[in-house]
């Protein structure tokens, strides 16, 4: 059984009606041996035809000469691609490791040729090889999934053991009768007209088409999802499959720890303990007290000078002014707002120029800042001792500035008052 | 067990083993390893269950949660923040930890009110700024999920009871005893020198004098005290000023072993005499011991002698010295020279001769010291020797033992008496304060059985341990970091202990419990301590809290008068020449068993054998060969009629015919690490207490050893595989290059020996390095002459850098994670070896071989010369480890933190240092020079625009090193200590011939053996 | 034996009225018969179940951690990298045979080059898997590719591992292209012989419409020649680069300049051995005796003998250099190889790689199928152990004796190795079943040439 033979029975329509409904593609001659084909090729070439070709199961020796095929320019494409690959590799390594993000590695220079040689070589080969394959395909007009010759049963053997020669009707010198004569002299096994491809429009087999469509649609899905994600909002946190080290089993400040009743990581030191540097032996400085009584004079270790007062002014502006007002009159922005809202529970901030406050010992003021009073919160954990004293000093200065005996003023100051 | 018969029973094979040495030995081991390889299908080991149940299935790829979404975190700040507390900022507190009656001052770091790191208190005489492995690891115990969480009452079996119920019960129960002045009631307490505890104890006994109060700890000082009573007629403790000693003789004792009182100070003092750079002189240390100890490794002359034979040597010494010095009427008659063969051996006599001459030359500048293993008579003789040499009053002083603690007949006899009473039913109510007598009381007393006869008993303990399970009440004890207290140092210095955090499980301290016993009033610890020191005004008390020590509370130094001693009974405790002596000792890591559930300590390699996760029988190679016991072979060890099966290890330097086994392992109620029958966790190691007896001390003259023929794979961090002959030769060939050492004489004649030890091509750079390291150049210097191998640095590093515990199976596979390891090398012959220690952190090479091979640049160099690891960038090719000649890199083969997902392990997370990444699975890690500490100081300095002061940055290992062997600093300043040290002529870089340019340099070790001549 | 009877399904004179037809028929029919011989099914059953085992183990590894393998510190590279280098080595003969022999106009290559190339592809697939699996975080291997990212994190191009990524990647791609290009005309033959629509479509797609026009042939031959010319240095470069993983490290036993040529020789050696192990049974089962003749096998045996001696020479010279260098560590590394804990591995390697090929000094043995097959298998084993010795024995004992260790493989290690063979053979059997096993067009050229003269 040879299916090849079985398939080569020419149906009458194909064999004998060249001028059928379909236009003519050309003439196909079949040969048993390469020798026959070579003869025919020389003959056809001699006839000066241009648009013709031979089809063989393997590259037949000498056919190029017989057909007069000019050497291909493929090697130059490959050469160019190789050069491109070489440059790409060198640029890639220079850009990434020496330019964009250089980092110190084993005391080596950021850029040195020897280390780049292997990859440069590999990329050169990769590019060149790719070029070789693909330029071969493209120059050969591949992929092409349908061809008029495919519809000739006998032609199927061209990839097995037969040798064919086909001349296209589109050749200016194409003349059926003359050509048949010419070819008949070369004793072909068969000689037949090939009608123009009937399905060349449907060049792609439907299966492939469906496949491509499905693939194309599938390719759009991720994009669609991304677009949806960008457009919509979600209460869920983002997907995060592999935690790696993004969340570590350690206790970060102010986080949750279900181990304790209050779910807090932060623990308060047990009462009575003394941390290093928290001895604070100097009661006058750290608590503003002498024994139990408030100190009336600033602690000795404090030098009351411009620096301190300026510091105090600055801190006062930051911490106190919002309620007590820049001048300490109790008319800060917060106070005003609260009054405007007429909050029932609002206890207005004290005017620091009231007599009872002027009378208070500095220790008391310090203590008030530290622990707060009425609805004034404690600032002890926010303002270091020295700054608290600076504020106290500044408040004292403010208070003095309001109670200057008239005779202590300079003349123009008096004038300004009057 | 006469070994001769042994030889006969299994003849040629074992002899040939002895002859073929490692060669056949390794074949054996290799076979066994491969065979066990295939039955073991990768995991499913008990140890895996013990530690990394984790691995088994756990579909968590990187670790943590199984949810596929980004975690939501809650932020819960304090509503009102007290003064001086900044979230995430560390605060430091002084406190102190007591171990069997000796207090050590500590500085504890707390972050957000959670203690996370323990350091020594520089002001405390016991610590001098250093901390031992026990103190370093104590913080892990605080957060141990296995700690007992609530009160358990046996009769009812219910664990619902709260302290209120207990107090009511106690008030009722104690009533009848009050009326009977305490008759029928007994207290068994772990020794304590706490002034408060002592005060309360006195109060209790004064109110109920009939109470039988017994102190007990397996690591007790009975012999020492009895010896002192023998010598002085009163309990005295010896205070040795090693730093002023020219010659030190240690008889079977390691003064630097953290289990010994004053260990840290002793280590500091002993090594101070061993840095000849300025003085060109050194002290000389002689050590006679049965088991290779850190002291033996540090010593210039070491003689391996069975503990039982040391009395004879001491007698010989006394005889010789007295003969040379001449009789001293006040000291009584000298010993007569014993006629024993073992003293006639060539080695021994050479040792004694040079020792005698040295001691005579160093009269008044010598120290002779012995340890708890030795019988009282040796202690008394040692006192005599010190008097004879005129050391007393100069290098050796005496302190009167405080009454109450440890005086009287001695703990063992007291305990024996108590147990008798318990058996006779003479004890109706027994309060056990701390300790774990059911485990560690001498086995022949069978304390457990006696305890059953006591109708009412309570046990205050951190864990619901072997004892708790037999008492009628178990009470959770507050960890020392949770409780108020006070302690006394060896020299009498009192220091206060303040809590770092409120008790996690509402436990109570011993003093709090005592206060209830006294008058039924549950007083707070702070109140009790304050009352004890009531005479102090508040500011002084606060200062004492702040500093951690009470200045000037040290006891006066005395020179008691010595009584004449009778002749030593050399037969006592001495083993006959052909029997096998068994030496039991508290373990170097788990102590008497109380730390058996502390992962850091359990996985810490033993200083000498480097074995982790179990205790082994140390046996001298020759003895082992004679008995036919292979390295790593299982053996039956029999003593006092009891027998245990345990693994034997060939330990060079172990005395012939003497074997050592550590106590404290084989716990059945320790926890998920040490072993707990309740949880189905097999015990780690073997319980050696079953071999103890009240009659003998820890040295048992008659023991026998029989090989079972089985072998096990030990989880060792060094010599993981039996080293074959070629390996051994190569090791010996390299030793001189790796650990460079010379005698004092050699060094003086060739000061540059360390630099020239290795011949190599000139170390040139092929190209200009891309950075010149202006600014800081961090570097480290490690003094091999000062390293005593105590491993404190390893635990400190583990605590500071969140280094995981990986479990026995993983260690056996060579996957331990310690960033800093302490290598131990033996030199010389197996029977007379010298040992050297070498701590190896990452060397921070400037030409780091690890960096160039990383395909993703996960490890690269900082501009300060640190070899940084970017954990997040690491994909785990492990190429860096292959190319690291020091093999200091560690790899997370699994997610070693997966167990933290279990709810019961939440509390464990609190021990982690928040400044350090907790590495997940699949990434490489290694020593960073504590970069988080460097950065913290840099930031602080930058904030106030000041330069970083010298010595301001200390790495964890440096900070805790008792001898100051490790020094870290900035090489770019010539003034820094580290650059001065690296400039010394004995400074060298490890494997410098590879031109890796390490930033770590070692100071070659100078030893001071007596020159052959003279 | 059963296989032979099955094989008869393929025996008998190939049909066709001329030699070309017979060649076509002989090769094509293998892929066209409705059902392959039982031998094929048995082989496929075995290999595919091994493949399943492979997948199971890989899953366990990925979910649990690389710790399920035996590698440890200091031996941080265990079976993973051993298998990688082993398979890459196997992957060499294919392209080498095709490319070099093609350039050398060795016509006998035509009978074996096709499935030698196939072997290359499949071996490289196996090889490529292991580096990805052995890393600690197997979900991140893409970090080794220069993908632009907002972190500006790039690969570290000074790392030999990075060179590997490019070398092996390039090699895989180029080999694939070379293989495919060679197959286009034969696929066209299949297409034209196809009787079912499915076959016609599939082969039609694969053949991309090749019609064997002489103008196509002209460019085709040029391109193929160039590909061969490019592939030849590539083959040499790939294993050189792989050897850099070791040569560029400073580990004693790795840090030697002889590695590149030594590795290439080893690769060719191992590759040809694998070709033999596949060719002998293949020609039996698929009745290709006429195409893959005893002479071809003998020629390859000669190559085995030669390369085997090259490898043996390298083993020797390594010892000499290490001794001559006078370097303490180098010296020990090699003493340790031959006499240390892994001596058994070393001597297995020597026996298989150096001793067993010596049989081929005798023509009788060279032409004996059983001997050929046996030696082929032995050499494969030996080459695997070569990598084992280089990697494990060197790593297990490097500079500091304190960190010496002993590597013990786990069951997962072994199952993964076995499983990778399952993957390889599964792919190979599928190839035999569905693709032209012999380059028909090229054979025809050869035949034509023979007849011309």
């Amino acid at each position: 059984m040879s299916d090849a033979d079985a398939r080569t029975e020419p149906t009458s329509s194909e064999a004998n009606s060249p001028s059928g409904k379909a236009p003519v593609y050309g003439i196909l001659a079949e040969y048993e041996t390469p020798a026959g084909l070579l003869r025919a090729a020389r003959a056809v070439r001699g006839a000066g035809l241009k648009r013709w070709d031979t089809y063989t199961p393997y590259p037949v020796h000498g056919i190029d000469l017989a057909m007069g095929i000019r050497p291909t320019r493929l090697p130059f494409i490959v050469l160019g691609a190789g050069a491109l690959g070489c440059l790409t590799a060198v640029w890639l390594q220079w850009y990434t490791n020496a330019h964009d993000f250089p980092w110190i590695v084993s005391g080596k220079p950021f850029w040195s040729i020897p280390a780049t040689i292997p990859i440069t070589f590999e990329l050169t080969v990769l590019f060149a090889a790719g070029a070789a394959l693909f330029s071969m395909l493209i120059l050969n007009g591949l992929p092409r999934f349908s061809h008029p010759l495919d519809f000739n049963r006998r032609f199927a053997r061209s990839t097995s053991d037969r040798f064919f020669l086909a001349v296209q009707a589109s050749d200016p010198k194409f003349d059926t009768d003359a050509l048949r004569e010419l070819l008949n002299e070369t004793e072909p096994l068969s000689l037949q007209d090939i009608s123009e491809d009937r399905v060349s429009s449907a060049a792609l087999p439907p299966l492939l088409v469906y496949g491509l469509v499905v693939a194309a649609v599938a390719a759009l899905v991720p994009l669609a999802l991304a677009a949806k994600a960008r457009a919509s909002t979600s209460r869920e946190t983002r997907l995060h499959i592999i935690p790696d080290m993004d969340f570590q089993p350690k206790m970060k400040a102010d986080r949750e720890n279900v181990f304790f009743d209050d779910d807090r990581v932060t623990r308060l030191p047990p009462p009575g303990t003394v941390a290093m540097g928290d001895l604070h032996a100097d009661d006058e400085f750290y608590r503003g007290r002498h024994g139990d009584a408030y100190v009336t004079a600033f602690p000795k270790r404090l030098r009351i000078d411009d620096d301190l007062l300026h510091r105090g002014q600055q801190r006062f502006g930051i911490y106190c002014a919002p309620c007590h007002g820049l001048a300490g009159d109790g008319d800060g922005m917060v106070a005003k707002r609260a009054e405007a809202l007429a909050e029932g529970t609002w206890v207005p901030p004290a005017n620091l120029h009231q007599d009872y406050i002027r009378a208070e010992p500095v220790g008391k003021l310090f203590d008030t800042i530290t622990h707060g009073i009425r609805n004034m919160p404690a600032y002890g954990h926010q303002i270091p001792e020295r700054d608290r004293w600076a504020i106290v000093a500044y408040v004292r200065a403010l208070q003095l500035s309001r109670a200057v005996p008239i005779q202590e003023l300079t003349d123009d100051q008096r004038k300004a008052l009057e | 067990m006469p070994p001769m018969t042994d030889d006969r029973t299994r003849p040629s094979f074992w002899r040939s083993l002895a002859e073929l040495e490692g060669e056949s030995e390794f074949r054996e081991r290799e076979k066994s390893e491969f065979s066990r390889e295939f039955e073991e299908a990768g995991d499913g080991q008990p140890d895996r269950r013990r530690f990394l149940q984790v691995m088994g299935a756990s579909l968590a790829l990187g670790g943590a949660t199984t949810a596929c979404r980004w975690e939501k975190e809650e932020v819960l700040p304090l509503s009102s923040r007290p003064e001086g507390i900044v979230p995430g900022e560390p605060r430091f507190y002084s406190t102190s930890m007591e171990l069997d009656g000796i207090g050590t001052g500590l500085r504890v770091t707390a972050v957000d009110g959670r203690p996370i790191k323990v350091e020594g208190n520089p002001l405390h005489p016991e610590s001098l700024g250093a901390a031992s492995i026990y103190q370093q690891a104590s913080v892990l115990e605080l957060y141990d999920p296995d700690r007992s969480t609530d009160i358990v009452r046996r009769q009812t079996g219910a664990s619902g009871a709260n302290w209120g119920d207990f107090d009511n019960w106690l008030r009722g129960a104690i009533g009848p005893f009050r009326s009977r002045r305490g008759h029928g009631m007994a207290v068994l307490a772990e020794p304590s020198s706490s002034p408060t505890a002592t005060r309360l104890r006195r109060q209790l006994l004064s109110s109920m004098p009939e109470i039988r109060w017994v102190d007990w700890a397996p690591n007790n000082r009975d012999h020492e005290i009895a010896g002192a009573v023998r010598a002085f007629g009163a309990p005295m403790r010896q205070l040795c000023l090693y730093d002023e000693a020219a010659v030190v003789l240690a008889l079977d004792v390691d003064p630097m072993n953290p289990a010994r009182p004053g260990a840290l100070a002793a280590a500091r003092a002993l090594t101070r005499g061993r840095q000849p750079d300025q003085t060109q002189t050194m002290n000389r240390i002689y050590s006679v011991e049965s088991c290779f100890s850190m002291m033996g490794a540090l010593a210039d002359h070491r003689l391996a002698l069975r503990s039982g034979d040391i009395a004879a040597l001491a007698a010989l010494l006394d005889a010789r010295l007295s003969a040379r010095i001449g009789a001293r009427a006040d000291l009584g008659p000298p010993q007569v020279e014993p006629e024993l063969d073992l003293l006639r051996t060539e080695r021994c006599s050479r040792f004694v001769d040079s020792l005698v001459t040295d001691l005579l030359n160093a009269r008044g500048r010598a120290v002779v010291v012995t340890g708890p293993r030795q019988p009282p008579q040796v202690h008394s003789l040692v006192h005599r020797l010190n008097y004879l040499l005129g050391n007393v009053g100069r290098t050796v002083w005496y302190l009167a033992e405080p009454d109450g603690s440890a005086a009287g007949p001695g703990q063992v006899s007291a305990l024996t008496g108590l147990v008798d009473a318990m058996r006779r039913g003479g004890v109706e109510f027994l309060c056990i304060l701390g300790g774990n007598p059911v485990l560690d009381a001498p086995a022949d007393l069978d304390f457990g059985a006696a305890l059953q006869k006591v109708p009412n008993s309570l046990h205050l303990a951190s864990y619901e341990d072997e004892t708790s399970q037999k008492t009628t009440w178990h009470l959770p004890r507050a960890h020392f970091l949770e409780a108020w207290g006070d302690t006394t140092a060896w020299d009498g210095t009192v220091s206060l202990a303040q809590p770092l955090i409120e008790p996690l499980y509402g436990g109570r301290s011993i003093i709090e419990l005592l206060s209830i016993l006294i008058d039924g009033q549950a007083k707070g610890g702070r109140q009790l301590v304050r009352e004890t020191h009531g005479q102090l005004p508040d500011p002084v008390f606060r200062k004492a809290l702040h500093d951690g020590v009470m200045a000037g509370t040290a006891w006066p130094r005395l020179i008691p008068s010595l009584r004449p001693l009778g002749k030593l009974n050399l037969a006592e405790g001495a083993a006959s020449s052909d029997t096998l002596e068994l030496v039991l000792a508290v373990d170097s890591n788990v102590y008497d068993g109380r730390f058996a559930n502390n992962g850091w300590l359990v996985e810490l390699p033993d200083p000498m054998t480097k074995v982790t996760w179990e205790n082994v029988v140390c046996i001298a190679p020759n003895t082992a060969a004679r008995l036919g016991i292979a390295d790593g072979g299982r053996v039956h060890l029999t003593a006092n009629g009891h027998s245990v099966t345990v693994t034997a290890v060939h330990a060079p330097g172990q005395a012939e015919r003497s074997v050592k086994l550590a106590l404290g392992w084989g716990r059945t109620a320790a926890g998920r690490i040490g072993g707990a029958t309740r949880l189905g966790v097999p015990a780690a190691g073997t319980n050696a207490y079953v071999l103890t007896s009240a009659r003998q001390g820890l040295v048992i003259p008659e023991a026998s050893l029989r090989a079972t023929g089985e072998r096990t794979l030990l989880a060792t961090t060094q010599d993981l595989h039996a080293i074959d002959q070629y390996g051994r030769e190569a090791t010996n060939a390299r030793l001189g290059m790796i650990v460079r050492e010379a005698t004092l004489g050699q060094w003086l004649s060739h000061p540059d020996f360390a630099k020239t030890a290795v011949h190599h091509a000139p170390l040139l750079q092929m190209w200009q390095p891309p950075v010149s390291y202006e600014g800081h150049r961090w570097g480290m210097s490690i003094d091999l002459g000062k390293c005593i191998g105590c491993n404190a640095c390893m635990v400190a590093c583990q605590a500071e850098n969140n280094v995981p515990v990986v479990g026995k199976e993983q260690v056996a596979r060579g996957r331990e994670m310690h960033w800093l390891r302490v290598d131990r090398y033996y030199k010389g012959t197996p029977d007379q070896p010298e040992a050297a220690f070498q701590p190896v952190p990452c060397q921070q090479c400037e030409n780091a071989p690890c960096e160039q091979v990383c395909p993703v640049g996960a490890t690269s160099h900082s501009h300060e010369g640190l070899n940084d690891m970017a954990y997040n960038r690491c994909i785990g090719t492990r190429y860096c480890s292959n190319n690291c000649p020091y093999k200091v890199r560690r790899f997370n083969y699994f997610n070693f933190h997966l167990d933290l997902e279990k709810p019961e392990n939440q509390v464990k997370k609190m021990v982690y240092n928040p400044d350090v990444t907790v590495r997940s699975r699949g990434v490489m890690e290694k020593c960073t020079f504590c970069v988080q500490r460097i950065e913290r100081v840099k930031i602080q300095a930058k904030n106030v625009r000041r330069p970083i002061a010298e010595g301001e940055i200390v790495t964890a290992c440096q900070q805790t090193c008792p001898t100051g062997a490790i020094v870290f600093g900035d090489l770019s300043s010539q003034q820094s200590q580290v650059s001065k040290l690296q400039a010394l002529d004995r400074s060298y870089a490890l494997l410098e011939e590879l031109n890796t340019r390490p930033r770590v340099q070692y100071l070659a070790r100078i030893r001071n053996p007596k020159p052959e001549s003279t | 034996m059963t296989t032979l009877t099955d094989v008869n399904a393929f025996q008998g004179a190939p049909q066709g009225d001329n030699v070309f037809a017979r060649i076509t028929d002989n090769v094509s029919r293998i892929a066209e018969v409705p059902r392959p011989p039982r031998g094929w099914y048995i082989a496929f059953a075995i290999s595919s179940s091994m493949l399943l085992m492979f997948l199971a183990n890989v899953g366990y590894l990925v979910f649990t951690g690389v710790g399920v393998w035996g590698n440890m510190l200091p031996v941080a590279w265990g079976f993973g990298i051993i298998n990688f280098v082993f398979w890459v080595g196997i992957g060499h003969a294919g392209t080498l045979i095709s490319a070099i022999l093609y350039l050398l106009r060795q016509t006998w290559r035509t009978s074996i080059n096709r499935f030698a190339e196939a072997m290359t592809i499949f071996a490289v697939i196996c090889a490529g898997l292991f580096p990805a699996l052995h890393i600690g975080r197997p979900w991140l291997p893409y970090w080794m590719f220069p993908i632009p990212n907002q972190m500006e994190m790039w690969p570290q191009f000074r790392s030999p591992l990075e060179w590997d990524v490019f070398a092996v990647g390039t090699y895989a791609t180029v080999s694939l292209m070379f293989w495919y290009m060679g197959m286009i005309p034969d696929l066209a033959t299949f297409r034209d012989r196809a009787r079912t629509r499915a076959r016609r479509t599939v082969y039609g797609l694969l053949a991309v419409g090749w019609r064997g026009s002489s103008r196509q042939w002209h460019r085709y031959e040029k391109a193929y020649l160039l590909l061969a010319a490019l592939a030849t240095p590539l083959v040499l470069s790939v294993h050189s680069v792989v050897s850099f993983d070791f040569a560029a490290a400073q580990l004693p036993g790795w840090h030697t300049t002889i590695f590149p040529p030594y590795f290439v020789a080893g690769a060719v050696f191992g590759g040809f051995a694998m070709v033999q192990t596949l060719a002998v049974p293949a020609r039996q089962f698929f009745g290709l005796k006429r195409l893959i003749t005893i002479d071809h096998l003998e020629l390859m045996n000669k190559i085995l003998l030669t390369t085997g001696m090259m490898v043996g020479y390298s083993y020797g010279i390594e010892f000499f250099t290490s001794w001559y260098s006078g370097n303490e560590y180098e010296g020990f590394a090699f003493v340790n190889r031959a006499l240390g804990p892994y001596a058994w591995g070393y001597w297995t390697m020597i026996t298989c790689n150096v001793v067993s090929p010596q049989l081929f000094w005798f023509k009788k043995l060279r032409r004996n199928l059983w001997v050929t097959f046996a030696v082929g298998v032995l050499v494969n084993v030996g080459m695997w152990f070569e990598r084992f010795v280089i990697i494990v024995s060197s790593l297990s004992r490097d500079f500091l004796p304190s960190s010496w260790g002993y590597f013990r493989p786990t069951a997962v290690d072994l199952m993964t190795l076995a499983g990778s063979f399952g993957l390889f053979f599964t792919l190979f059997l599928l190839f035999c079943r569905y693709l032209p096993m012999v380059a028909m067009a090229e054979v025809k050229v050869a035949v034509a040439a023979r007849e011309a003269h």
Side-chain angles (χ1 to χ4, degrees), chain C residues 22-102:
Chain C
R22 280 195 296 279
I23 294 172
T24 312
D25 190 51
N26 193 352
V27 177
S28 313
R29 212 191 300 161
I30 300 172
E32 285 166 353
V33 290
R35 51 185 299 280
R38 201 182 315 133
W40 187 90
Y41 281 113
I42 296 170
F44 191 78
I46 297 171
S47 63
S48 55
S49 48
M50 283 166 79
L51 172 58
L52 281 180
M53 180 175 73
F54 180 75
L55 297 177
N57 281 286
V58 167
Y60 180 49
L61 172 88
V62 170
F63 280 115
T64 311
V66 72
V68 301
W69 282 357
N71 67 65
M72 37 85 80
L73 301 176
V75 188
W77 281 357
F79 274 31
I81 298 297
I82 296 172
N83 301 344
F84 162 68
V85 181
F86 171 72
W87 279 119
V88 169
I90 298 294
H92 273 59
T95 312
L96 189 89
I97 293 171
S98 307
I100 292 188
L101 300 188
Y102 181 80

Side-chain angles (χ1 to χ4, degrees), chain B residues 692-890:
Chain B
T692 55
S693 82
R695 284 174 289 98
Q696 293 145 321
L698 296 179
V699 178
I700 298 163
E702 292 275 334
S704 76
L705 209 52
R706 189 164 49 75
T708 62
E710 301 164 31
R711 283 163 166 281
T712 54
L713 186 59
L714 285 169
T716 61
T717 61
Q718 199 174 335
D719 313 335
L720 187 55
H721 181 64
I723 302 294
D724 56 316
Q725 168 193 345
Y726 304 95
R728 214 178 287 120
E729 285 164 7
T731 312
N732 295 335
R734 291 176 195 188
L735 220 47
M737 316 186 204
I738 296 169
V739 179
R740 304 184 186 175
E741 62 177 35
T743 65
L744 187 58
Q746 290 165 339
W747 174 63
L748 289 172
S749 48
H750 307 288
D752 63 342
F753 80 96
K755 309 261 184 218
T756 55
V758 179
H759 300 285
H760 56 74
L763 305 176
L764 306 172
Q765 284 286 54
M766 201 169 135
W767 39 59
Q768 208 53 32
V771 283
S772 52
Y773 301 117
E774 289 108 6
H776 303 296
R777 296 177 66 244
W778 305 119
M780 183 179 276
S781 170
I782 301 177
D783 189 340
L784 297 180
K786 281 180 162 188
C787 177
I788 59 171
C790 68
N791 289 346
C793 48
M794 288 178 73
V795 187
C797 176
Q798 191 154 22
E800 171 74 19
N801 293 303
N802 302 342
V803 174
V805 176
V806 300
K808 184 176 182 182
E809 191 219 13
Q810 295 300 311
V811 177
R813 277 210 174 280
R815 294 169 179 175
E816 66 273 8
M817 297 298 282
H818 301 124
W819 281 7
L820 170 63
R821 65 171 195 265
V822 179
D823 290 343
R824 181 263 307 124
Y825 293 103
Y826 289 122
K827 287 174 65 183
T829 58
D831 54 347
Q832 194 182 4
E834 294 166 0
F837 297 103
Q838 183 172 44
V840 185
C842 171
Q843 308 284 303
Q844 309 286 352
C845 317
E846 283 184 12
N847 298 348
C850 50
E851 290 170 356
Q852 85 203 49
V853 297
C854 177
V856 291
T859 181
S860 62
H861 237 58
S862 83
H863 284 264
E864 295 174 350
L866 290 185
N867 169 234
D868 293 340
M869 262 306 298
Y871 303 123
N872 274 332
R873 178 67 176 171
C874 178
I875 61 173
T877 67
R878 304 188 293 287
Y879 198 176
C880 50
S881 167
N882 289 349
N883 211 31
C884 172
Y886 310 95
K887 289 288 175 284
V888 291
R889 291 180 155 261
R890 298 284 181 253

Side-chain angles (χ1 to χ4, degrees), chain C residues 106-123:
Chain C
Q106 296 294 312
T107 46
W108 60 271
R109 90 186 243 288
T110 54
S111 58
I112 51 158
N113 69 321
R114 174 62 44 74
F115 75 79
E117 289 162 23
M119 188 188 78
T120 296
I121 308 292
F122 306 147

Side-chain angles (χ1 to χ4, degrees), chain B residues 36-37 63 97 164 276 309 319 384 410 434 468 475 575 578 630 684 848 923 1012:
Chain B
R36 56 174 278 115
E37 187 40 56
M97 169 181 178
D309 299 335
R384 176 187 151 83
S468 303
L475 310 172
D578 62 347
V923 302
E1012 287 309 324

